[in-house]
Amino acid sequence: MFTNKESFKSAFLERLENMYGKNINETTTIEQYMALGSLVKEQINKNWILTKKIYRERGEKQVYYLSMEFLLGKMLGMNLINLGIYEVIEEGLKDLRISLSDLEQQEPDPGLGNGGLGRLAACLLDSMASLHLPGHGCGIRYKYGLFEQKIMDGYQVELPDYWLREGNVWEVRRSDKAVEVRFEGNIWVEKVGERLVFHHENFESVLAVPYDIPIPGYKNKTVNTLRLWSAESAIKDFDFQCLNNRDYQKIVEYKRSTEAISEFLYPDDSKEEGRILRLKQQYFLVSAGLQSIIRSYKKRHQNIKDFPNKVAIHINDTHPVLAIPELMRILMDEEGLEWDEAWSITTRTISYTNHTTLQEALERWPIDMMKRLLPRIYMIIEEINERFCRELWNKYPGEWGLIHEMAIIADGQVKMAHLAIVGSYQVNGVSKIHTEILKKQVMKNFYNYFPYKFHNKTNGITHRRWLLKANPLLAKLISDAIGTNWIEHPTDLNYLLNYAKDPSFQERISRVKRQNKISLSNYIKEKYHIAVDPDSIFDVQVKRLHAYKRQLLNVFHIMDLYNRLKENPNLDIVPRTFIFGAKAAPAYFLAKRIIKLINTVASLVNNDSTIQGKIRVIFVENYGVSLAEKIIPAADIGQQISTASKEASGTGNMKFMMNGALTLGTLDGANIEIKDEVGEDNIFIFGLTPQEVLDYYQYGGYRARDLYQSDPRLRKILDQLIDGFFLKEVVDFKFIYYSLLQENDEFFVLKDFASYADAQKRIDQFYKDQESWIEKSIINIAHSGIFSSDRTILEYASGTWEVRPIFIS
Ligand code: 26W
């Protein structure tokens, strides 16, 4: 371990020489990053080996978190912090005239996820390792992560994100642990004695090769594993030489189609071909994952019947739900268990988190597709369905409608959420309100049938990345005031309440915020050549672009503010900088038009000198984990303005409060719990309640057009979308206009507008009283500890997985 900078410096120079055959002055920054990464990795390796050895020897229960997404963020800085050597390395590099932060910039940010669900998976891994829990991730090593977003002429353009271009210093390819995954083909059944034996023939074989990434805990010796699978053809390259032309073509085609499985995160599923690929990805992940979990179980334990006591498998939404039939297949076809035994093991092993109530996100697969692609798996699902429907029949005789509604297979489709609930021992939502909505509405039939399965686990974020790493100035200030215990016991942040009214602490907090705002302003200036005023309110909405998240409400309010400033240039408002960051799914037309609208409004507002710079609008390109780490510490306001009842939890809301931003939000997801923690005076709540929204959906009674008629502000804004106000852009925004007026504004943007604008006015007024604003900010930080993913993980560990810490020493 590098206990002093001298030992580090000589190791670093030697490593540069060995890796690149150059001395330091000749190396590039990326080479320096790679060399440092490899040194750090080596340090981690020692404890990684030790951790694996102790896990093997102790034979205690292991958790596997299966997820199609892991949004890890850059790893160098976090790894240095976890090893406790960040400062030493920084100092050592400084002596060599190298800036550690420059090296950190070199690391690509692996975009192996879309948004909250993927980032949550990464936060949970961090907390498991930091709390000494034996928990591992299992995912896909997409060759291309989520696309890189460019904004051209205001439109989103998607470019491939080839994050592996320079290699990945953190991973180890484990060819020795590769497994085979089988697709398509046909099944024939043989009766051997009393048993039915299933044979799979003519299948397409895909090789799953794992790449392991170490996940170290914070200043402990635990190093867990994130195993990402890559798809390869099962053919060796030398076979190519002795082939005739036709075979050659066939093999090229086979190679292409197998490798496609781990090529892209979420291939475009607006087309049939894309959907097939996504289903293939899902099975690829669970089949490879489960084979390796079982292999490692059998190394440690004799009896397969003890499996649920030694292994917990968690599925992150329904994407990996085929883990249920796959585990059944392995237990029956490979381990020789009977159905009942296999079912009992499976349903004591698997637990499931739901992350959304949006209908379009509830996965369903056409029967034909699944049958063709996964013939044996489909047979097993059919059997699970039959047995479940029989049970339902016993409980609800004659209630065909209900049984049809709850069936796993119905209407030509396999309903993945139903399979997930039936095949797992616990189902959880990700905030109190979300879990209630699951129980009372979305999954109410299942809740009535299996009330004991439903639990809440409110999401969390790792305060180590989102405060300690992302906001070093604030972290230091906090530690100076209350000591460093909060890093391991985040609810200790509560002690900050003692300082909420302390003028000198307030002064320091305010200086830190200003400093962070200046850093962000510099970034914006450099990247977009727009000057923003660090003394303006930084009002931020960063998240996936989706109609329910209502970026549109935000931009309408900006249009209204602009209209009012045009009428009265002396309008007395605190200058505002509105910051947006958002990617839209490539095939999501409305979302892309909203991006165009934000950019159109931005260029109008930013170039109009008559409003005297009172408002600025910035759309940051390519929002992701790394940008979030830059933006959130600089925010005064975090906007969490989803239509009540639609956001399962939100985790951005937690990151903002932890960094001292105040929330402008609806009563939705975890906003409600944040409000309960900080109190109504320290959060800006507006809009319909979840119940009001649900009632409108159920009973009707909302007419968007009435609001257009009755509210002159709204009429003006909506007309501006189509009347040439934006000059050549007219056509673009018709689609938005019609979605609100013709299709009656599904997400209540117009309905919540007045209340939102009011809340924005309150913010303006409150901000003028800086003392009380900073007090509110401190109160938010002080209450954020409960939203650490450490709390979330402890709840899963004791309430769901029943797994205990294993101390590595
Ligand atoms: C087509 C399958 C599908 C559907 C939805 C893939 C991915 C998604 C979303 C990207 C899922 C998602 O990210 N959900 C978010 O999960 C977070 C973690 O629990 C919650 O905080 C967010 O509220 C929820 O939107």
Side-chain angles (χ1 to χ4, degrees):
M1 189 65 93
F2 303 117
T3 44
N4 65 62
K5 64 178 181 176
E6 297 308 326
S7 67
F8 161 69
K9 278 183 339 196
S10 59
F12 182 62
L13 293 174
E14 198 181 316
R15 183 57 51 96
L16 276 174
E17 273 180 28
N18 287 344
M19 279 173 76
Y20 299 105
K22 296 180 187 175
N23 61 43
I24 185 158
N25 303 322
E26 298 161 322
T27 53
T28 62
T29 322
I30 181 85
E31 287 168 344
Q32 294 163 3
Y33 158 72
M34 297 294 274
L36 177 59
S38 87
L39 272 183
V40 174
K41 171 83 187 324
E42 217 168 79
Q43 295 296 315
I44 297 173
N45 276 344
K46 300 197 173 80
N47 287 334
W48 201 9
I49 295 168
L50 184 64
T51 303
K52 286 190 266 198
K53 177 168 172 276
I54 291 180
Y55 286 172
R56 221 172 21 242
E57 288 171 358
R58 298 266 183 91
E60 283 179 48
K61 192 170 188 178
Q62 305 285 307
V63 179
Y64 297 92
Y65 196 85
L66 268 50
S67 178
M68 289 282 282
E69 304 187 12
F70 285 93
L71 267 180
L72 297 169
K74 297 184 192 223
M75 285 173 273
L76 174 59
M78 269 321 296
N79 284 341
L80 289 171
I81 288 179
N82 287 336
L83 290 170
I85 56 173
Y86 193 94
E87 283 79 20
V88 179
I89 304 292
E90 192 175 31
E91 287 301 309
L93 287 172
K94 204 180 279 165
D95 287 356
L96 302 170
R97 304 220 186 123
I98 295 173
S99 135
L100 173 54
S101 105
D102 284 353
L103 299 200
E104 287 180 55
Q105 295 308 316
Q106 297 300 312
E107 179 170 355
D109 182 339
L112 311 184
N114 268 284
L117 170 146
R119 183 53 230 174
L120 179 73
C123 283
L124 296 183
L125 288 184
D126 179 82
S127 286
M128 287 195 279
S130 294
L131 295 170
H132 315 269
L133 289 165
H136 313 280
C138 179
I140 294 182
R141 181 179 179 269
Y142 304 102
K143 190 164 163 196
Y144 297 91
L146 188 64
F147 62 86
E148 182 185 335
Q149 180 193 53
K150 287 262 178 244
I151 300 297
M152 289 179 175
D153 192 25
Y155 292 96
Q156 166 176 300
V157 176
E158 299 102 28
L159 304 177
D161 165 47
Y162 187 32
W163 67 290
L164 290 166
R165 188 176 294 119
E166 305 285 340
N168 174 6
V169 275
W170 307 112
E171 70 185 11
V172 197
R173 181 181 161 95
R174 304 295 305 266
S175 317
D176 56 320
K177 307 250 176 207
V179 298
E180 185 196 38
V181 178
R182 297 175 173 185
F183 294 97
E184 303 190 4
N186 45 281
I187 305 293
W188 64 274
V189 189
E190 186 189 8
K191 193 149 190 201
V192 181
E194 283 304 291
R195 285 185 53 82
L196 294 179
V197 178
F198 294 84
H199 299 274
H200 194 172
E201 285 184 335
N202 303 320
F203 50 83
E204 181 182 82
S205 169
V206 177
L207 199 64
V209 182
Y211 287 72
D212 288 353
I213 296 176
I215 307 289
Y218 178 72
K219 293 191 181 169
N220 65 16
K221 291 191 168 177
T222 298
V223 181
N224 290 332
T225 301
L226 168 60
R227 177 160 281 183
L228 299 178
W229 295 93
S230 177
E232 296 183 7
S233 61
I235 296 171
K236 301 232 166 57
D237 286 339
F238 60 75
D239 288 342
F240 278 72
Q241 295 168 5
C242 50
L243 292 171
N244 64 39
N245 204 29
R246 241 186 72 228
D247 288 348
Y248 182 80
Q249 290 302 332
K250 256 170 65 192
I251 285 186
V252 167
E253 170 51 26
Y254 162 69
K255 218 170 133 54
R256 197 199 58 77
S257 87
T258 48
E259 285 167 10
I261 294 175
S262 57
E263 191 130 279
F264 289 100
L265 168 77
Y266 289 178
D268 181 2
D269 67 358
S270 57
K271 297 187 199 73
E272 167 91 354
E273 204 188 313
R275 277 199 295 272
I276 294 175
L277 208 47
R278 174 141 172 105
L279 181 57
K280 268 188 156 176
Q281 290 186 328
Q282 296 188 346
Y283 182 67
F284 174 75
L285 163 69
V286 304
S287 179
L290 277 166
Q291 290 183 58
S292 104
I293 292 168
I294 290 196
R295 196 187 271 178
S296 121
Y297 172 85
K298 287 170 83 173
K299 271 197 212 143
R300 289 178 289 129
H301 306 281
Q302 310 289 326
N303 190 348
I304 195 75
K305 293 183 184 165
D306 206 26
F307 194 70
N309 301 323
K310 298 295 176 188
V311 172
I313 296 177
H314 198 85
I315 57 175
N316 199 19
D317 216 292
T318 55
H319 319 151
V321 71
L322 294 175
I324 291 166
E326 176 67 3
L327 183 53
M328 289 294 287
R329 182 190 71 75
I330 297 175
L331 293 174
M332 296 187 301
D333 298 1
E334 289 173 19
E335 301 299 322
L337 298 187
E338 296 295 334
W339 180 278
D340 288 340
E341 244 163 8
W343 185 243
S344 155
I345 290 174
T346 301
T347 52
R348 285 181 292 135
T349 301
I350 293 183
S351 48
Y352 151 61
T353 299
N354 171 283
H355 294 268
T356 180
T357 56
L358 292 185
Q359 276 307 314
E360 70 267 26
L362 292 179
E363 293 188 296
R364 290 138 201 253
W365 294 103
I367 290 177
D368 296 342
M369 191 190 286
M370 198 176 275
K371 222 184 210 167
R372 191 174 55 70
L373 208 59
L374 309 168
R376 178 66 182 129
I377 290 300
Y378 182 74
M379 287 170 86
I380 293 171
I381 297 176
E382 236 177 359
E383 174 98 25
I384 295 173
N385 181 51
E386 260 179 50
R387 288 171 182 250
F388 178 57
C389 288
R390 229 176 289 146
E391 264 182 45
L392 288 175
W393 175 260
N394 287 335
K395 173 137 184 176
Y396 308 117
E399 295 196 42
W400 285 115
L402 181 62
I403 295 169
H404 180 85
E405 255 178 60
M406 294 177 74
I408 296 166
I409 302 176
D411 309 317
Q413 293 175 320
V414 184
K415 301 184 178 173
M416 307 307 257
H418 297 193
L419 178 58
I421 302 169
V422 174
S424 54
Y425 64 94
Q426 260 196 29
V427 177
N428 74 278
V430 289
S431 71
K432 285 182 188 158
I433 179 83
H434 170 60
T435 302
E436 284 313 301
I437 292 173
L438 291 179
K439 295 200 300 199
K440 306 278 158 58
Q441 310 241 340
V442 184
M443 297 177 171
K444 82 168 182 286
N445 296 333
F446 287 96
Y447 176 60
N448 290 337
Y449 191 74
F450 303 115
Y452 54 90
K453 285 196 184 183
F454 286 76
H455 296 265
N456 179 55
K457 298 280 176 290
T458 298
N459 282 164
I461 56 170
T462 166
H463 57 287
R464 286 168 290 271
R465 180 178 288 269
W466 294 107
L467 176 49
L468 188 59
K469 173 76 182 86
N471 200 342
L473 298 178
L474 180 58
K476 174 158 188 325
L477 182 50
I478 294 172
S479 298
D480 288 347
I482 63 169
T484 53
N485 276 356
W486 64 274
I487 302 173
E488 287 180 64
H489 303 282
T491 46
D492 278 5
L493 288 170
N494 242 282
Y495 291 118
L496 289 173
L497 290 177
N498 298 330
Y499 298 84
K501 286 182 191 294
D502 175 341
S504 100
F505 189 72
Q506 287 189 351
E507 157 71 23
R508 276 177 288 160
I509 284 278
S510 136
R511 245 185 289 148
V512 163
K513 182 62 82 182
R514 190 157 193 286
Q515 196 54 49
N516 291 335
K517 287 165 80 172
I518 291 172
S519 307
L520 180 60
S521 309
N522 292 341
Y523 172 82
I524 291 171
K525 177 85 199 159
E526 201 173 295
K527 188 106 205 271
Y528 304 107
H529 313 293
I530 301 174
V532 302
D533 174 5
D535 292 315
S536 63
I537 301 176
F538 278 26
D539 180 339
V540 183
Q541 189 177 17
V542 284
K543 46 183 78 253
R544 279 184 292 129
L545 211 136
H546 199 290
Y548 86 82
K549 294 181 184 280
R550 299 199 296 192
Q551 281 91 353
L552 203 49
L553 185 55
N554 190 350
V555 74
F556 280 2
H557 168 254
I558 299 171
M559 288 169 73
D560 178 49
L561 203 53
Y562 178 73
N563 290 337
R564 284 191 281 140
L565 277 167
K566 292 301 278 183
E567 274 164 27
N568 173 14
N570 296 322
L571 193 71
D572 177 27
I573 57 162
V574 182
R576 271 281 179 131
T577 303
F578 294 95
I579 298 170
F580 291 85
K583 289 183 182 177
Y588 189 176
F589 187 73
L590 176 63
K592 290 178 125 178
R593 281 296 134 104
I594 295 172
I595 289 182
K596 172 66 178 166
L597 178 62
I598 297 169
N599 283 301
T600 305
V601 171
S603 74
L604 179 75
V605 166
N606 298 343
N607 294 311
D608 186 339
S609 57
T610 67
I611 59 164
Q612 310 154 45
K614 282 187 178 162
I615 49 180
R616 286 267 185 270
V617 182
I618 309 294
F619 187 100
V620 286
E621 254 175 3
N622 203 34
Y623 176 67
V625 176
S626 298
L627 271 169
E629 290 175 39
K630 240 195 251 303
I631 295 169
I632 295 171
D636 295 305
I637 288 289
Q639 295 215 31
Q640 312 300 337
I641 59 178
S642 52
T643 310
S645 82
K646 294 288 175 189
E647 189 69 273
S649 159
T651 44
N653 44 7
M654 302 167 184
K655 294 162 198 162
F656 279 97
M657 85 180 286
M658 194 173 271
N659 282 278
L662 308 194
T663 298
L664 166 57
T666 46
L667 287 173
D668 200 14
N671 296 352
I672 299 176
E673 286 155 75
I674 292 176
K675 185 206 75 182
D676 292 345
E677 288 296 322
V678 301
E680 278 173 6
D681 293 341
N682 300 303
I683 187 167
F684 299 93
I685 295 289
F686 72 95
L688 293 169
T689 64
Q691 197 54 51
E692 285 168 335
V693 171
L694 294 170
D695 286 346
Y696 274 127
Y697 283 131
Q698 192 168 357
Y699 307 111
Y702 171 52
R703 285 166 39 132
R705 207 167 264 284
D706 292 350
L707 288 170
Y708 169 79
Q709 305 289 356
S710 62
D711 186 335
R713 293 171 303 179
L714 282 175
R715 189 156 64 246
K716 184 158 181 176
I717 295 163
L718 284 163
D719 288 347
Q720 285 171 337
L721 294 179
I722 55 164
D723 70 2
F725 175 73
F726 295 120
L727 304 171
K728 64 181 172 45
E729 323 278 5
V730 187
V731 184
D732 280 322
F733 306 123
K734 274 201 177 121
F735 194 79
I736 297 177
Y737 181 89
Y738 288 126
S739 83
L740 296 172
L741 295 183
Q742 228 103 309
E743 289 159 32
N744 203 33
D745 183 15
E746 184 183 352
F747 296 107
F748 302 94
V749 175
L750 306 188
K751 182 73 185 168
D752 274 347
F753 179 79
S755 153
Y756 176 74
D758 269 3
Q760 283 285 25
K761 200 181 274 169
R762 273 187 278 141
I763 287 173
D764 180 80
Q765 283 156 2
F766 276 111
Y767 195 81
K768 288 176 183 152
D769 180 354
Q770 271 298 293
E771 224 171 87
S772 106
W773 184 275
I774 296 164
E775 183 185 340
K776 290 177 197 305
S777 167
I778 297 169
I779 291 174
N780 269 269
I781 303 167
H783 285 287
S784 66
I786 192 148
F787 298 107
S788 163
S789 44
D790 287 5
R791 188 265 313 143
T792 312
I793 272 300
L794 290 174
E795 290 178 8
Y796 278 108
S798 64
T800 306
W801 304 325
E802 297 186 358
V803 64
R804 277 177 298 277
I806 299 176
F807 295 91
I808 309 296
S809 57

